[in-house]
Amino acid sequence: MKKLSTVFVLILLLKITTVMAQDTKAKILVLIHSDNGGTYELAKEIASGIESNKNVAAVIKQVKGSSNPKLANIPVATVDELPSYDGIAFGSPVYFGNISTGMSEFLSKTVNLWTNHALEGMPATVFMSAGSGAGKELALQAFWNSLTVHGMVLISNGIRGTDNINKAIPQGNTVLGITSMASLKDVERPTKDERGLAELQGRNFARTALALKGTFSKKQTSVTISEKSQDFDDLLKQKNIILPQVPQPAGNYKPFVRSGNLVFINQVALKEGKILNPGKLGVDVNEQQVKEAAKATMLNVIAVLKEAVGGDLNKVKQCVQLTGIFNTKDDYTKHADLMNVASDLTVEVFGEKGKHARATLGASSIPVNSSVEIQAVFEVE
C-alpha cells in the first residue's frame, strides 16, 4: 500500500512539473500578409529562429486567406486571439512605402484591442518583403507607428549579422527589421543571407519575448470582437462559396429596396444568365435539382445583399425572414425540405446572425419558369 502511495505521488509530481514547464514556455505568433510567398519565406526563417530557443514556440498565421498554393494551408488569425500570445512578429509586403492593404485592413479591426489596452507591454518585431527596396524604411516605420499606438514593446533588429553578408549584391537588411528585395533579377529571394538575418531576428526576438513573459497583462476582449472583425470575403473563400454577379432586373424594379435598416430582396434561380433547372417539381425536375436551384437562388440573394451594404457583409445584423416559393404540383407537401438548403447556406455564411423566421409554400407557376423564388428580409447597419 505504501509503495502504491509513493508511485501515486511521483506521478502527481510529474504531472505538476509538466504543467509548470508548459506554463513557462512562451508562445509567439508570426502574423503575415503575403502576396507571392516572399513574406512567408521570411516568416519561416523568423519562426525557425524563435524556436531555436527551446522555451519558445512559434505559430505562423496569415491575416486573410490566399489563393496562392504556397499559402493555402496557412491558418487565418482572428483579431481577438492576439492578446493570448507572449509576442507577435508582424510580416508584410511593402506597398508604396507602406504596409500592405491586407495587413492594414487587419490592423484597422484592432480598435477594440486598443481601447481595452489588450496589447500594451507585449513585445513586437516586424519584417517585410520589398520590391526594389525603395521605401522599405518608410514602410517599416509605418509598421512601427501602428504598433506603438497599441503600446507594444518594439524590438529592433539592430545591426546583427552584417559582417557575414554578401555585399556584392543588394541585401534587405535594416536596423528596424529584415526585408527581402523580391523584384531584383537573377538573384533568388529571399537570399541565403536575408534568410540568415531573419533567423537571427527570430532568435533575438524570442530571447526578449521570453524575458518579458508575464510582465504584461493578457487582457481578453469580448467574443463579439471576432464576429465584428470577421472578413466575409475570406470566409466565403475558405468555404469555397462563390457569389455570382448581381442579376439585373428584367423589368421596372430594383434588385433590392432598403427601408430604414431593412433590406428587401426577391430572386429566382438564375445562374450564368440562365435559369438553373427550370420547370415544375415532379414533372420537369426532381427534388435534388430543385434543391440545387434553391442554393443558386440564395447565392443570388446574398450577392444582392452584398451590393446593398456597399460590399461589406459585416454590416449585416440579422437575417429576419426568408420565404421560399416552389413550383410544385397541388399535392406536394415537402416544401420545407427544399427550403432547408437556403436556410443552411444562410447560417453557414452569417452564423447566429443568419438564423431567421421562415415561410415556404407551393405555386402553380413561377416567373421565367424557375422552380424556386426566394424572398428575403435582412436587418443591416
Side-chain angles (χ1 to χ4, degrees):
M1 188 69 176
K2 186 175 182 181
K3 288 183 178 180
L4 287 174
S5 299
T6 304
V7 171
F8 176 77
V9 170
L10 288 173
I11 292 173
L12 183 61
L13 287 172
L14 180 61
K15 288 186 176 181
I16 293 172
T17 303
T18 302
V19 170
M20 292 178 63
Q22 290 174 345
D23 188 58
T24 58
K25 194 167 186 176
K27 186 177 181 182
I28 293 176
L29 173 65
V30 183
L31 183 64
I32 66 169
H33 175 225
S34 188
D35 289 323
N36 300 313
T39 308
Y40 176 49
E41 291 300 319
L42 286 178
K44 290 191 289 185
E45 301 299 336
I46 293 280
S48 175
I50 290 170
E51 294 199 326
S52 65
N53 189 319
K54 302 301 182 184
N55 293 316
V56 186
V59 56
I60 300 176
K61 292 190 177 184
Q62 54 186 340
V63 297
K64 60 187 300 184
S66 174
S67 58
N68 188 323
K70 297 179 182 178
L71 309 168
N73 295 324
I74 302 174
V76 176
T78 60
V79 169
D80 58 307
E81 74 178 87
L82 300 189
S84 67
Y85 294 94
D86 298 297
I88 305 176
F90 294 86
S92 160
V94 174
Y95 279 17
F96 300 101
N98 211 328
I99 57 180
S100 71
T101 303
M103 180 61 73
S104 180
E105 288 175 347
F106 184 87
L107 292 176
S108 71
K109 299 172 184 176
T110 61
V111 175
N112 284 303
L113 299 184
W114 172 70
T115 56
N116 285 282
H117 308 277
L119 300 180
E120 282 187 4
M122 181 186 292
T125 194
V126 300
F127 59 97
M128 305 191 79
S129 179
S132 63
K136 61 183 181 181
E137 282 86 1
L138 286 173
L140 287 162
Q141 288 174 343
F143 230 144
W144 277 48
N145 290 341
S146 297
L147 304 180
T148 298
V149 172
H150 277 288
M152 302 188 80
V153 177
L154 302 173
I155 310 302
S156 72
N157 203 32
I159 58 172
R160 66 189 71 255
T162 57
D163 293 340
N164 299 321
I165 64 174
N166 181 2
K167 297 178 178 59
I169 59 173
Q171 304 279 7
N173 189 32
T174 79
V175 296
L176 299 178
I178 182 64
T179 66
S180 173
M181 288 180 279
S183 67
L184 296 183
K185 305 299 182 183
D186 302 323
V187 178
E188 182 183 356
R189 294 291 175 170
T191 65
K192 177 182 177 182
D193 293 334
E194 288 169 344
R195 290 176 182 273
L197 291 169
E199 199 267 347
L200 285 175
Q201 183 171 346
R203 285 175 178 266
N204 180 54
F205 186 59
R207 183 167 56 250
T208 306
L210 186 60
L212 291 176
K213 177 178 168 60
T215 63
F216 55 92
S217 175
K218 294 185 178 182
K219 295 183 179 180
Q220 298 300 315
T221 55
S222 170
V223 292
T224 57
I225 292 177
S226 62
E227 294 178 0
K228 290 183 179 180
S229 65
Q230 176 68 64
D231 189 321
F232 277 95
D233 288 334
D234 291 341
L235 176 66
L236 294 174
K237 287 180 182 178
Q238 291 170 21
K239 295 181 177 292
N240 199 28
I241 298 173
I242 301 174
L243 295 183
Q245 290 186 340
V246 174
Q248 295 304 306
N252 189 16
Y253 61 91
K254 300 178 180 179
F256 68 90
V257 169
R258 177 167 179 168
S259 178
N261 288 337
L262 296 179
V263 175
F264 298 82
I265 302 169
N266 287 359
Q267 286 293 313
V268 294
L270 192 67
K271 184 175 182 179
E272 298 176 354
K274 298 179 180 179
I275 295 297
L276 177 66
N277 302 336
K280 185 179 290 293
L281 175 60
V283 178
D284 307 298
V285 289
N286 58 36
E287 287 185 338
Q288 183 57 41
Q289 289 174 311
V290 175
K291 288 179 180 180
E292 292 173 2
K295 181 176 182 180
T297 305
M298 196 64 219
L299 287 173
N300 287 336
V301 168
I302 297 173
V304 173
L305 176 64
K306 185 175 181 181
E307 182 175 278
V309 292
D312 185 5
L313 289 173
N314 289 289
K315 293 181 179 179
V316 176
K317 296 178 69 175
Q318 183 71 45
C319 179
V320 179
Q321 168 85 30
L322 293 181
T323 301
I325 306 169
F326 296 92
N327 190 352
T328 63
K329 295 189 292 184
D330 292 343
D331 60 349
Y332 188 78
T333 60
K334 297 181 180 179
H335 306 85
D337 290 344
L338 303 175
M339 191 58 186
N340 283 340
V341 175
S343 292
D344 291 345
L345 176 61
T346 307
V347 174
E348 183 179 6
V349 172
F350 296 104
E352 288 296 316
K353 295 187 292 184
K355 293 184 177 179
H356 49 272
R358 195 179 81 176
T360 55
L361 56 133
S364 59
S365 66
I366 290 178
V368 295
N369 202 28
S370 179
S371 60
V372 58
E373 178 177 350
I374 293 178
Q375 301 173 349
V377 182
F378 288 87
E379 182 186 6
V380 300
E381 293 178 3

